[in-house]
Amino acid sequence: MSDLSPLVAPEDFPASEKSVYLNTASVCLMYRGAERAVVEWTHDLAENGTIHFDEAAEERAFETLHASAARLFNCRPEDIAVGSSAAELMGSLAWAVAPAAGSNIVGTGLDFPGTIYPWARVARHTGAEVRLADIEGDHHRADDLIGLIDARTTGVCVSDVIYSTGQRLDVARLAEAAHRNGALLVVDATQSAGGIPIDVRTLGVDALISASYKWLCGPFGVAVMYLAPHLHERLEPGLVGFRSHERMWDLRPDRLKLPPNAHRFEFSTMAYGCAPGLASSIDYLTRLDVRRIFSRNKTLADLLIEGLRERNAEILSPTDEGARSSIVATRFPDIDVRILAERLNQAGIVVSARRGVLRFSPHLYNDADDIQQALTTIDRCLT
């Protein structure tokens, strides 16, 4: 068994002392350093306004996060764009790609709505088709998606980890199939970034987007996007604003020259203090080593799966190494998972019910005692 000694100091995640928190796939416990960075930035703005947050500081507002996200994804800072949310970045990207009438976008019917909705909205406008792989059971095979890709496919947009069951898709294989047909591969990494190692160069993705408030242990209000270099000057973002011009303080409305990199997708003001907050949490995770975090999280998931099976639960999450994450989805015979989730939450075991499954999602602030407490509480709830 892998080492399950504490990976983080209690003071880094003080909320972990208040409950058995197994709900990172919904909302993380925020890293205390990230909280501190957001609060300090907000306090300074409240006390000093533009005395400190002047034009130069606003222009540099994303530099630290560019660098942190680049280290996380193994790319360059100029390949990273910052936005207020994953939906904002996905929407701007979908309008930038703007699949034409007669073309198609491929996704999966098991995906989170926010991954598909932006593309469906653009497709309604342009006359493109959205093809979603049929749901048969609880998992998809790569072939289910690859079979939908053809010469008229403009893009394939998927989450690399399915939110309900934790299934990992074969992103590298999807990238190969998409590129073979002249299509782009866009990945929503909100359920993986920070919990699973991601190397965008090895995977061959064209764009990868992640929210901050799940496995990255960051605040709401900020997200990041990797954009492959070959798209930097090819795509015009769907959303533009005063930051969109390459010299943002040259405030003339009669021209718009976009930056020659991913930063062209950064278009306006936002809750800027969330950016250093996310940079702080990413740096914390990379110091700990995401590979180490993932290995430990899977060991916790294994303990949970073993205990659930002893209680006659059905495990819906894949357990083979190439298709698993640390999300564990389960069902019990003749038990409404929504009611069971409510009982567990009331007892201090924080979980979610999603698409007819009870979902557990341990992360770096959990330990073996948390898993045992969850199983003991399930016993009480089932009697």
Side-chain angles (χ1 to χ4, degrees), residues 24 28 42 47 73 85 90-91 107-108 122 136 154 200 215 221 237 274-275 292 307 323 331 351:
T24 299
C28 66
T42 304
E47 294 292 320
F73 296 139
S85 70
M90 189 70 80
T108 164
V122 174
E136 295 183 4
T154 298
V200 291
W215 304 90
C274 296
R292 181 184 176 205
R331 285 194 289 252
V351 297

Side-chain angles (χ1 to χ4, degrees), residues 23-28 72-73 84-90 111-115 157-164 166-167 171 186-196 198 207-220 222-225 278 285 325-327 359 361 363:
N23 206 27
T24 299
S26 180
V27 177
C28 66
L72 180 70
F73 296 139
S84 295
S85 70
E88 173 192 290
L89 290 168
M90 189 70 80
D111 221 327
F112 191 72
T115 304
C157 183
V158 296
S159 295
D160 56 345
V161 172
I162 301 298
Y163 75 100
S164 54
Q167 179 189 5
V171 171
V186 178
V187 171
D188 184 337
T190 297
Q191 289 292 3
S192 59
I196 297 175
I198 295 174
L208 182 140
I209 296 170
S210 179
S212 56
Y213 57 88
K214 297 185 188 287
W215 304 90
L216 286 172
C217 299
F220 280 89
V222 61
V224 291
M225 176 173 71
L278 179 55
L285 296 173
S325 65
S326 58
I327 294 174
R359 187 184 67 185
S361 44
H363 199 14

